Coordinates of all heavy atoms in Angstrom, one line a residue:
E1149 N 31.0 -2.5 21.4 CA 30.8 -3.9 21.2 C 29.4 -4.1 20.4 O 29.2 -3.3 19.5 CB 30.7 -4.7 22.5 CG 32.1 -4.6 23.1 CD 32.1 -5.3 24.5 OE1 31.2 -6.0 24.8 OE2 33.1 -5.2 25.2
N1150 N 28.6 -5.0 20.8 CA 27.4 -5.2 20.1 C 26.3 -4.2 20.6 O 25.9 -4.3 21.7 CB 26.8 -6.6 20.3 CG 27.7 -7.7 19.6 OD1 28.4 -7.3 18.6 ND2 27.6 -8.9 20.0
E1151 N 25.9 -3.4 19.7 CA 24.8 -2.4 20.0 C 23.5 -3.0 19.6 O 23.4 -3.6 18.5 CB 25.0 -1.1 19.3 CG 26.2 -0.3 19.9 CD 26.3 1.0 19.2 OE1 25.3 1.6 18.8 OE2 27.4 1.5 19.0
K1152 N 22.5 -2.9 20.4 CA 21.2 -3.4 20.0 C 20.4 -2.3 19.3 O 20.4 -1.2 19.8 CB 20.4 -3.9 21.2 CG 21.0 -5.2 21.8 CD 20.1 -5.7 22.9 CE 20.6 -7.0 23.4 NZ 19.8 -7.6 24.4
V1153 N 19.8 -2.6 18.2 CA 19.0 -1.7 17.5 C 17.6 -2.0 17.8 O 17.1 -3.2 17.6 CB 19.3 -1.8 16.0 CG1 18.3 -0.8 15.2 CG2 20.7 -1.4 15.7
E1154 N 16.8 -1.0 18.3 CA 15.4 -1.3 18.6 C 14.6 -1.3 17.3 O 14.6 -0.4 16.5 CB 14.9 -0.2 19.5 CG 13.5 -0.4 20.0 CD 13.1 0.6 21.0 OE1 13.9 1.2 21.7 OE2 11.9 0.9 21.1
A1155 N 13.9 -2.4 17.1 CA 13.1 -2.5 15.9 C 11.7 -1.8 16.1 O 11.2 -1.9 17.2 CB 12.8 -4.0 15.6
K1156 N 11.3 -1.1 15.1 CA 10.0 -0.5 15.2 C 8.9 -1.5 14.8 O 9.1 -2.3 13.9 CB 9.9 0.7 14.2 CG 10.8 1.9 14.7 CD 10.5 3.0 13.7 CE 11.3 4.3 14.2 NZ 11.1 5.4 13.3
P1157 N 7.7 -1.3 15.4 CA 6.6 -2.2 14.9 C 6.4 -1.9 13.4 O 6.6 -0.8 12.9 CB 5.4 -1.7 15.8 CG 6.0 -1.0 16.9 CD 7.3 -0.5 16.5
I1158 N 5.9 -2.9 12.8 CA 5.7 -2.8 11.3 C 4.8 -1.7 10.9 O 5.1 -1.0 9.9 CB 5.2 -4.2 10.7 CG1 5.2 -4.1 9.2 CG2 3.8 -4.4 11.1 CD1 6.2 -5.1 8.6
F1159 N 3.8 -1.3 11.7 CA 2.9 -0.2 11.3 C 3.6 1.1 11.4 O 3.0 2.1 10.9 CB 1.6 -0.3 12.1 CG 1.8 -0.2 13.6 CD1 1.8 1.0 14.2 CD2 1.9 -1.4 14.3 CE1 2.0 1.1 15.6 CE2 2.0 -1.3 15.7 CZ 2.1 0.0 16.3
E1160 N 4.7 1.2 12.1 CA 5.4 2.5 12.2 C 6.5 2.6 11.2 O 7.1 3.7 11.0 CB 6.0 2.6 13.6 CG 5.0 2.8 14.7 CD 5.6 3.0 16.1 OE1 6.9 3.1 16.2 OE2 4.9 3.0 17.0
Q1161 N 6.8 1.5 10.5 CA 7.9 1.6 9.5 C 7.4 2.3 8.2 O 6.3 2.1 7.8 CB 8.4 0.2 9.2 CG 9.0 -0.5 10.4 CD 9.5 -1.9 10.1 OE1 9.5 -2.3 8.9 NE2 9.8 -2.6 11.1
K1162 N 8.3 3.0 7.6 CA 8.0 3.7 6.4 C 8.3 2.7 5.2 O 9.3 2.0 5.2 CB 8.9 4.9 6.2 CG 8.6 6.0 7.1 CD 8.2 7.2 6.4 CE 7.8 8.3 7.4 NZ 7.1 9.4 6.8
V1163 N 7.3 2.7 4.3 CA 7.5 1.9 3.1 C 8.1 2.7 2.0 O 7.5 3.8 1.7 CB 6.1 1.3 2.6 CG1 6.3 0.5 1.4 CG2 5.5 0.5 3.7
P1164 N 9.2 2.3 1.4 CA 9.8 3.2 0.4 C 8.9 3.2 -0.8 O 8.3 2.2 -1.2 CB 11.1 2.5 0.0 CG 11.0 1.1 0.6 CD 10.0 1.1 1.7
E1165 N 8.7 4.4 -1.4 CA 7.9 4.6 -2.5 C 8.6 4.1 -3.8 O 9.8 4.3 -3.9 CB 7.5 6.0 -2.7 CG 6.5 6.5 -1.6 CD 5.8 7.7 -1.9 OE1 5.7 8.0 -3.1 OE2 5.4 8.4 -1.0
Q1166 N 7.9 3.4 -4.6 CA 8.5 2.9 -5.8 C 8.4 3.9 -6.9 O 7.3 4.5 -7.1 CB 7.9 1.6 -6.3 CG 8.0 0.5 -5.2 CD 7.3 -0.8 -5.7 OE1 6.6 -0.8 -6.6 NE2 7.5 -1.8 -4.9
A1167 N 9.5 4.1 -7.6 CA 9.4 5.1 -8.7 C 8.7 4.4 -9.9 O 9.0 3.3 -10.2 CB 10.8 5.5 -9.1
P1168 N 7.8 5.1 -10.5 CA 7.1 4.5 -11.7 C 8.1 4.3 -12.8 O 9.1 5.0 -13.0 CB 6.1 5.5 -12.1 CG 6.5 6.8 -11.4 CD 7.3 6.4 -10.2
T1169 N 7.9 3.3 -13.7 CA 8.8 3.0 -14.8 C 8.6 4.0 -15.9 O 9.6 4.2 -16.7 CB 8.6 1.6 -15.3 OG1 7.3 1.4 -15.7 CG2 9.0 0.6 -14.2
A1170 N 7.5 4.5 -16.1 CA 7.2 5.5 -17.2 C 6.7 6.8 -16.6 O 5.6 6.8 -15.9 CB 6.3 5.0 -18.2
A1171 N 7.4 7.9 -16.7 CA 6.9 9.1 -16.1 C 5.8 9.7 -17.0 O 5.9 9.6 -18.2 CB 8.1 10.1 -16.0
P1172 N 4.8 10.3 -16.5 CA 3.8 10.9 -17.3 C 4.3 11.8 -18.4 O 3.8 11.9 -19.5 CB 2.9 11.6 -16.3 CG 3.1 10.9 -15.0 CD 4.5 10.5 -15.0
A1173 N 5.3 12.6 -18.1 CA 5.9 13.5 -19.1 C 6.4 12.8 -20.3 O 6.3 13.4 -21.4 CB 7.0 14.3 -18.5
E1174 N 6.8 11.6 -20.2 CA 7.3 10.9 -21.3 C 6.2 10.5 -22.3 O 6.4 10.3 -23.5 CB 8.1 9.6 -20.9 CG 9.4 9.9 -20.1 CD 10.0 8.7 -19.5 OE1 9.5 7.5 -19.8 OE2 10.9 8.8 -18.7
I1175 N 5.0 10.2 -21.7 CA 3.9 9.7 -22.5 C 2.9 10.9 -22.8 O 2.3 10.9 -23.8 CB 3.2 8.6 -21.8 CG1 4.2 7.4 -21.7 CG2 1.9 8.2 -22.5 CD1 3.7 6.3 -20.8
G1176 N 2.8 11.8 -21.9 CA 1.9 12.9 -22.0 C 0.5 12.5 -21.3 O 0.4 11.5 -20.7
E1177 N -0.4 13.4 -21.4 CA -1.7 13.3 -20.8 C -2.6 12.5 -21.7 O -2.6 12.6 -22.9 CB -2.3 14.6 -20.4 CG -1.4 15.4 -19.4 CD -1.9 16.8 -19.1 OE1 -2.6 17.3 -20.0 OE2 -1.7 17.3 -18.0
L1178 N -3.5 11.7 -21.1 CA -4.5 10.9 -21.8 C -5.9 11.3 -21.3 O -6.0 11.7 -20.1 CB -4.2 9.4 -21.7 CG -2.9 8.9 -22.2 CD1 -2.7 7.5 -21.9 CD2 -2.8 9.1 -23.7
T1179 N -6.9 11.0 -22.1 CA -8.3 11.3 -21.6 C -8.7 10.1 -20.7 O -8.1 9.0 -20.7 CB -9.2 11.4 -22.8 OG1 -9.3 10.1 -23.4 CG2 -8.8 12.4 -23.7
L1180 N -9.8 10.3 -19.9 CA -10.3 9.2 -19.1 C -10.7 8.0 -20.0 O -10.4 6.9 -19.6 CB -11.5 9.7 -18.3 CG -12.2 8.7 -17.4 CD1 -11.2 8.2 -16.4 CD2 -13.4 9.3 -16.7
A1181 N -11.3 8.3 -21.1 CA -11.7 7.2 -22.0 C -10.5 6.4 -22.5 O -10.5 5.2 -22.5 CB -12.5 7.8 -23.2
E1182 N -9.4 7.1 -22.8 CA -8.2 6.4 -23.2 C -7.6 5.5 -22.1 O -7.1 4.4 -22.4 CB -7.1 7.4 -23.7 CG -7.5 8.0 -25.0 CD -6.5 9.2 -25.4 OE1 -6.1 9.9 -24.5 OE2 -6.3 9.3 -26.6
L1183 N -7.7 6.0 -20.9 CA -7.1 5.3 -19.8 C -8.0 4.2 -19.3 O -7.6 3.3 -18.6 CB -6.9 6.3 -18.6 CG -5.7 7.3 -18.9 CD1 -5.7 8.4 -17.8 CD2 -4.4 6.6 -18.9
Q1184 N -9.3 4.2 -19.7 CA -10.2 3.1 -19.5 C -10.1 2.0 -20.5 O -10.6 0.9 -20.3 CB -11.6 3.6 -19.3 CG -11.8 4.5 -18.1 CD -13.2 5.2 -18.1 OE1 -13.7 5.5 -19.2 NE2 -13.7 5.4 -16.9
D1185 N -9.5 2.3 -21.7 CA -9.4 1.4 -22.8 C -8.0 0.7 -22.8 O -7.0 1.3 -23.1 CB -9.6 2.1 -24.1 CG -9.6 1.3 -25.3 OD1 -9.1 0.1 -25.3 OD2 -10.1 1.7 -26.4
A1186 N -8.0 -0.6 -22.4 CA -6.7 -1.3 -22.2 C -6.0 -1.4 -23.5 O -4.7 -1.4 -23.5 CB -7.0 -2.7 -21.7
S1187 N -6.6 -1.4 -24.6 CA -5.9 -1.5 -25.9 C -5.1 -0.2 -26.2 O -4.1 -0.3 -26.9 CB -6.9 -1.8 -27.1 OG -7.7 -0.7 -27.3
I1188 N -5.5 0.9 -25.5 CA -4.7 2.1 -25.7 C -3.6 2.2 -24.7 O -2.4 2.4 -25.0 CB -5.7 3.3 -25.6 CG1 -6.6 3.3 -26.8 CG2 -4.8 4.6 -25.6 CD1 -7.7 4.4 -26.8
W1189 N -3.9 2.1 -23.4 CA -2.9 2.4 -22.4 C -1.9 1.3 -22.3 O -0.7 1.5 -22.0 CB -3.5 2.7 -21.0 CG -4.4 1.6 -20.4 CD1 -5.7 1.6 -20.4 CD2 -3.9 0.5 -19.6 NE1 -6.2 0.5 -19.7 CE2 -5.1 -0.2 -19.2 CE3 -2.7 0.1 -19.2 CZ2 -5.0 -1.3 -18.4 CZ3 -2.6 -1.1 -18.4 CH2 -3.8 -1.7 -18.0
R1190 N -2.2 0.0 -22.6 CA -1.2 -1.0 -22.6 C -0.2 -0.8 -23.7 O 1.0 -1.1 -23.5 CB -1.9 -2.4 -22.7 CG -2.5 -2.9 -21.5 CD -2.9 -4.3 -21.6 NE -3.6 -4.7 -20.3 CZ -4.7 -5.4 -20.3 NH1 -5.3 -5.8 -21.4 NH2 -5.2 -5.8 -19.1
G1191 N -0.6 -0.3 -24.8 CA 0.3 0.0 -25.9 C 1.3 1.1 -25.6 O 2.3 1.2 -26.4
K1192 N 1.0 1.8 -24.6 CA 1.9 3.0 -24.2 C 2.8 2.6 -23.0 O 3.5 3.5 -22.4 CB 1.1 4.2 -23.9 CG 0.3 4.7 -25.1 CD -0.4 6.0 -24.8 CE -1.2 6.5 -26.0 NZ -0.4 7.1 -27.0
D1193 N 2.8 1.3 -22.6 CA 3.6 0.9 -21.5 C 3.3 1.6 -20.2 O 4.1 1.9 -19.4 CB 5.1 1.0 -21.7 CG 5.6 0.0 -22.8 OD1 5.0 -1.1 -22.9 OD2 6.5 0.4 -23.6
I1194 N 2.0 1.9 -20.0 CA 1.6 2.5 -18.8 C 1.3 1.5 -17.7 O 0.7 0.4 -18.0 CB 0.3 3.4 -19.0 CG1 0.6 4.6 -19.9 CG2 -0.4 3.8 -17.7 CD1 -0.5 5.4 -20.3
I1195 N 1.7 1.7 -16.5 CA 1.5 0.8 -15.4 C 0.0 0.8 -15.0 O -0.5 1.9 -14.8 CB 2.4 1.1 -14.2 CG1 3.9 1.1 -14.6 CG2 2.1 0.2 -13.0 CD1 4.8 1.7 -13.5
A1196 N -0.6 -0.3 -15.0 CA -2.0 -0.5 -14.8 C -2.5 0.2 -13.6 O -3.5 0.9 -13.6 CB -2.5 -1.9 -14.9
T1197 N -1.7 0.1 -12.5 CA -2.2 0.6 -11.2 C -1.9 2.1 -11.1 O -2.2 2.7 -10.0 CB -1.5 -0.1 -10.1 OG1 0.0 0.0 -10.2 CG2 -1.9 -1.6 -10.0
E1198 N -1.3 2.7 -12.1 CA -0.9 4.2 -12.0 C -1.6 5.0 -13.1 O -1.1 6.1 -13.4 CB 0.6 4.3 -12.0 CG 1.3 3.7 -10.8 CD 2.8 3.9 -10.9 OE1 3.3 4.5 -11.8 OE2 3.4 3.4 -9.9
R1199 N -2.6 4.5 -13.8 CA -3.2 5.1 -14.9 C -3.7 6.5 -14.6 O -3.6 7.4 -15.4 CB -4.3 4.3 -15.5 CG -3.8 3.1 -16.2 CD -5.0 2.3 -16.8 NE -5.6 1.5 -15.8 CZ -6.8 1.0 -15.8 NH1 -7.6 1.3 -16.8 NH2 -7.3 0.3 -14.9
E1200 N -4.2 6.8 -13.4 CA -4.7 8.1 -13.0 C -3.7 9.2 -13.1 O -4.0 10.3 -13.3 CB -5.3 8.0 -11.6 CG -4.3 7.9 -10.4 CD -3.7 6.6 -10.2 OE1 -4.1 5.6 -10.9 OE2 -2.9 6.5 -9.3
R1201 N -2.4 8.9 -13.0 CA -1.4 9.9 -13.1 C -1.3 10.5 -14.4 O -0.7 11.6 -14.6 CB 0.0 9.2 -12.8 CG 0.1 8.6 -11.4 CD 1.4 8.0 -11.1 NE 2.4 9.0 -11.0 CZ 3.6 8.9 -11.7 NH1 3.8 7.9 -12.5 NH2 4.5 9.9 -11.6
Y1202 N -1.9 9.9 -15.5 CA -1.8 10.5 -16.8 C -3.0 11.4 -17.2 O -3.1 11.9 -18.3 CB -1.7 9.3 -17.8 CG -0.4 8.5 -17.6 CD1 -0.4 7.5 -16.7 CD2 0.8 8.9 -18.2 CE1 0.8 6.8 -16.5 CE2 2.0 8.2 -18.0 CZ 2.0 7.2 -17.1 OH 3.1 6.5 -16.9
L1203 N -3.9 11.5 -16.2 CA -5.0 12.5 -16.5 C -4.5 13.9 -16.3 O -3.7 14.2 -15.5 CB -6.1 12.2 -15.4 CG -6.9 11.0 -15.5 CD1 -7.8 10.8 -14.3 CD2 -7.8 11.0 -16.8
P1204 N -5.1 14.8 -17.1 CA -4.8 16.2 -16.9 C -5.2 16.6 -15.5 O -6.2 16.1 -15.0 CB -5.6 16.9 -18.0 CG -5.9 15.9 -19.0 CD -6.0 14.6 -18.3
D1205 N -4.5 17.6 -14.9 CA -4.7 18.0 -13.5 C -6.2 18.4 -13.3 O -6.8 18.0 -12.3 CB -3.8 19.1 -13.1 CG -2.3 18.6 -13.0 OD1 -2.1 17.4 -12.9 OD2 -1.4 19.5 -13.0
A1206 N -6.7 19.2 -14.2 CA -8.1 19.6 -14.1 C -9.1 18.5 -14.1 O -10.1 18.4 -13.3 CB -8.5 20.7 -15.1
V1207 N -8.9 17.5 -15.0 CA -9.8 16.4 -15.1 C -9.6 15.5 -13.8 O -10.6 15.1 -13.2 CB -9.4 15.5 -16.3 CG1 -10.2 14.2 -16.4 CG2 -9.7 16.3 -17.6
F1208 N -8.4 15.3 -13.4 CA -8.1 14.6 -12.2 C -8.9 15.2 -11.0 O -9.6 14.5 -10.2 CB -6.6 14.5 -11.9 CG -6.3 13.6 -10.7 CD1 -5.9 12.3 -10.9 CD2 -6.4 14.1 -9.4 CE1 -5.5 11.5 -9.9 CE2 -6.0 13.3 -8.3 CZ -5.6 12.0 -8.6
A1209 N -8.8 16.5 -10.8 CA -9.4 17.2 -9.7 C -10.9 17.1 -9.8 O -11.6 16.9 -8.7 CB -9.0 18.6 -9.7
S1210 N -11.5 17.1 -11.0 CA -13.0 17.0 -11.1 C -13.4 15.6 -10.8 O -14.5 15.4 -10.2 CB -13.4 17.5 -12.4 OG -13.1 16.6 -13.4
L1211 N -12.7 14.6 -11.2 CA -13.1 13.2 -10.9 C -12.9 12.8 -9.4 O -13.8 12.2 -8.9 CB -12.2 12.3 -11.7 CG -12.5 12.1 -13.2 CD1 -11.5 11.3 -13.9 CD2 -13.9 11.6 -13.4
F1212 N -11.7 13.2 -8.9 CA -11.4 12.7 -7.5 C -11.6 13.7 -6.4 O -11.5 13.4 -5.2 CB -9.9 12.2 -7.5 CG -9.7 11.0 -8.4 CD1 -9.1 11.1 -9.6 CD2 -10.1 9.8 -8.0 CE1 -8.8 10.0 -10.4 CE2 -9.9 8.6 -8.7 CZ -9.2 8.8 -10.0
G1213 N -11.9 14.9 -6.8 CA -12.2 16.0 -5.8 C -11.0 16.4 -5.0 O -11.2 17.0 -3.9
M1214 N -9.8 16.2 -5.6 CA -8.6 16.7 -4.9 C -7.5 16.6 -6.0 O -7.7 16.1 -7.0 CB -8.2 15.7 -3.7 CG -8.0 14.3 -4.2 SD -7.8 13.1 -2.8 CE -9.5 12.9 -2.4
D1215 N -6.4 17.2 -5.6 CA -5.2 17.2 -6.6 C -4.5 15.9 -6.4 O -4.7 15.1 -5.5 CB -4.3 18.4 -6.4 CG -3.6 18.5 -5.0 OD1 -3.6 17.5 -4.3 OD2 -3.2 19.6 -4.7
K1216 N -3.5 15.7 -7.3 CA -2.8 14.4 -7.4 C -2.0 14.2 -6.1 O -1.8 13.1 -5.6 CB -1.9 14.3 -8.6 CG -2.7 14.2 -9.9 CD -1.8 14.3 -11.1 CE -2.7 14.2 -12.4 NZ -1.9 14.3 -13.6
E1217 N -1.4 15.3 -5.6 CA -0.6 15.2 -4.4 C -1.5 14.7 -3.2 O -1.0 13.8 -2.4 CB 0.0 16.5 -4.1 CG 1.1 16.5 -2.9 CD 1.8 17.8 -2.7 OE1 2.0 18.5 -3.7 OE2 2.0 18.1 -1.6
A1218 N -2.6 15.3 -3.0 CA -3.5 14.9 -1.9 C -4.0 13.4 -2.1 O -4.1 12.7 -1.1 CB -4.7 15.8 -1.8
F1219 N -4.3 13.1 -3.3 CA -4.7 11.7 -3.6 C -3.6 10.7 -3.3 O -3.9 9.6 -2.7 CB -5.0 11.6 -5.1 CG -5.6 10.3 -5.6 CD1 -6.9 9.9 -5.3 CD2 -4.8 9.3 -6.2 CE1 -7.4 8.7 -5.7 CE2 -5.3 8.1 -6.6 CZ -6.6 7.8 -6.4
A1220 N -2.4 11.0 -3.6 CA -1.2 10.1 -3.3 C -1.0 9.9 -1.8 O -0.5 8.8 -1.4 CB 0.0 10.7 -3.9
K1221 N -1.5 10.8 -1.0 CA -1.4 10.7 0.5 C -2.5 9.8 1.1 O -2.3 9.4 2.3 CB -1.4 12.0 1.1 CG -0.1 12.9 0.8 CD -0.2 14.2 1.4 CE 1.1 15.0 1.0 NZ 1.0 16.4 1.5
L1222 N -3.5 9.5 0.3 CA -4.6 8.6 0.9 C -4.1 7.2 1.1 O -3.2 6.8 0.4 CB -5.8 8.6 -0.1 CG -6.5 9.9 -0.3 CD1 -7.6 9.7 -1.4 CD2 -7.2 10.3 1.0
P1223 N -4.7 6.5 2.0 CA -4.3 5.1 2.1 C -4.6 4.3 0.8 O -5.5 4.7 0.1 CB -5.2 4.5 3.3 CG -5.7 5.8 4.0 CD -5.7 6.9 3.0
K1224 N -3.9 3.3 0.5 CA -4.0 2.6 -0.7 C -5.4 2.1 -1.0 O -6.0 2.2 -2.1 CB -3.0 1.4 -0.8 CG -3.1 0.6 -2.1 CD -2.1 -0.5 -2.1 CE -2.1 -1.3 -3.4 NZ -3.4 -1.5 -4.1
W1225 N -6.1 1.6 0.1 CA -7.5 1.1 -0.1 C -8.4 2.2 -0.6 O -9.3 2.0 -1.4 CB -8.0 0.4 1.1 CG -8.2 1.2 2.3 CD1 -7.3 1.5 3.3 CD2 -9.4 1.9 2.7 NE1 -7.8 2.4 4.2 CE2 -9.1 2.6 3.9 CE3 -10.6 2.0 2.1 CZ2 -10.1 3.4 4.5 CZ3 -11.6 2.8 2.7 CH2 -11.3 3.4 3.9
K1226 N -8.2 3.4 -0.1 CA -9.1 4.5 -0.5 C -8.8 4.9 -1.9 O -9.7 5.2 -2.7 CB -8.9 5.7 0.5 CG -9.6 5.6 1.8 CD -9.5 6.9 2.5 CE -10.3 6.8 3.8 NZ -10.3 8.1 4.6
R1227 N -7.5 5.0 -2.3 CA -7.2 5.3 -3.7 C -7.8 4.2 -4.6 O -8.3 4.6 -5.6 CB -5.6 5.3 -3.8 CG -5.0 6.5 -3.1 CD -3.5 6.7 -3.5 NE -2.7 5.4 -3.6 CZ -1.9 5.0 -2.6 NH1 -1.8 5.8 -1.5 NH2 -1.2 3.9 -2.7
D1228 N -7.6 3.0 -4.2 CA -8.1 1.9 -5.1 C -9.7 2.0 -5.2 O -10.2 1.9 -6.3 CB -7.8 0.5 -4.5 CG -6.3 0.2 -4.6 OD1 -5.6 1.0 -5.4 OD2 -5.8 -0.7 -4.0
N1229 N -10.4 2.3 -4.2 CA -11.8 2.4 -4.2 C -12.2 3.6 -5.1 O -13.2 3.5 -5.9 CB -12.5 2.6 -2.9 CG -12.5 1.3 -2.1 OD1 -12.4 0.2 -2.6 ND2 -12.7 1.4 -0.8
K1230 N -11.5 4.7 -5.0 CA -11.8 5.9 -5.9 C -11.5 5.6 -7.3 O -12.2 6.0 -8.2 CB -11.1 7.1 -5.4 CG -11.6 7.7 -4.1 CD -10.9 8.9 -3.7 CE -11.5 9.5 -2.5 NZ -12.9 10.0 -2.6
K1231 N -10.4 4.8 -7.6 CA -10.1 4.5 -9.0 C -11.1 3.5 -9.6 O -11.5 3.6 -10.7 CB -8.7 3.8 -9.0 CG -7.6 4.9 -8.8 CD -6.2 4.3 -9.1 CE -5.7 3.5 -8.1 NZ -4.3 3.1 -8.3
K1232 N -11.7 2.6 -8.7 CA -12.7 1.7 -9.2 C -14.0 2.5 -9.6 O -14.6 2.1 -10.6 CB -13.1 0.7 -8.1 CG -12.1 -0.4 -7.9 CD -12.4 -1.2 -6.7 CE -11.3 -2.2 -6.3 NZ -11.6 -3.0 -5.1
E1233 N -14.3 3.5 -8.9 CA -15.5 4.3 -9.3 C -15.4 4.9 -10.7 O -16.4 5.2 -11.3 CB -15.6 5.5 -8.3 CG -16.0 5.1 -6.9 CD -16.0 6.3 -5.9 OE1 -16.0 7.5 -6.4 OE2 -15.9 6.1 -4.7
H1234 N -14.1 5.1 -11.2 CA -14.0 5.7 -12.5 C -13.3 4.7 -13.5 O -12.9 5.2 -14.6 CB -13.1 7.0 -12.4 CG -13.7 7.9 -11.4 ND1 -14.8 8.7 -11.7 CD2 -13.3 8.3 -10.2 CE1 -15.1 9.4 -10.6 NE2 -14.2 9.2 -9.7
G1235 N -13.4 3.5 -13.3 CA -12.9 2.5 -14.2 C -11.4 2.5 -14.4 O -10.9 2.2 -15.5
L1236 N -10.6 2.9 -13.4 CA -9.2 3.0 -13.5 C -8.5 2.0 -12.6 O -7.4 2.2 -12.2 CB -8.7 4.4 -13.1 CG -9.1 5.5 -14.1 CD1 -8.8 6.9 -13.5 CD2 -8.5 5.3 -15.4
F1237 N -9.2 0.9 -12.3 CA -8.6 -0.1 -11.4 C -8.7 -1.5 -12.0 O -9.6 -1.8 -12.6 CB -9.3 -0.2 -10.0 CG -8.7 -1.0 -9.0 CD1 -7.6 -0.6 -8.3 CD2 -9.1 -2.4 -8.8 CE1 -7.0 -1.4 -7.3 CE2 -8.4 -3.2 -7.9 CZ -7.4 -2.7 -7.2

């Protein structure tokens, strides 16, 4: 008959990750200066909140002190603060 489904508290629910509309491979890597210049990255249809994904791995690691995978696991507010430090927010 009617089965009750136990709802999880909101803080325990997983938020589905959104797939970016433009994969870095399609556009290629850009320099930090290019990603800080809106006239350049906007012309390439790069999502403003994902500009750091287009940095070369070595540059990313030197700026953020971790690889892209570790960075993606940080809470959003921490990622945003780190991006602000480098003009990518």
Side-chain angles (χ1 to χ4, degrees):
E1149 295 179 11
N1150 288 340
E1151 290 184 33
K1152 290 188 177 183
V1153 176
E1154 188 176 327
K1156 288 185 177 181
I1158 190 114
F1159 60 87
E1160 291 181 7
Q1161 295 178 10
K1162 292 239 179 195
V1163 177
E1165 293 196 23
Q1166 297 177 352
T1169 58
E1174 295 172 9
I1175 296 170
E1177 296 175 335
L1178 300 173
T1179 66
L1180 179 60
E1182 289 172 323
L1183 292 168
Q1184 292 170 330
D1185 185 340
S1187 67
I1188 294 174
W1189 61 263
R1190 282 189 182 136
K1192 297 181 180 289
D1193 293 327
I1194 291 175
I1195 300 168
T1197 58
E1198 297 180 0
R1199 287 181 280 158
E1200 72 282 357
R1201 297 179 69 232
Y1202 297 89
L1203 288 168
D1205 291 341
V1207 173
F1208 186 96
S1210 71
L1211 284 175
F1212 294 104
M1214 64 189 80
D1215 62 20
K1216 292 177 182 178
E1217 188 176 325
F1219 184 80
K1221 292 178 182 177
L1222 293 174
K1224 183 180 182 317
W1225 66 270
K1226 282 189 178 182
R1227 292 191 314 262
D1228 290 349
N1229 284 343
K1230 289 185 176 293
K1231 288 191 282 187
K1232 286 176 187 176
E1233 291 174 18
H1234 303 291
L1236 293 171
F1237 188 83

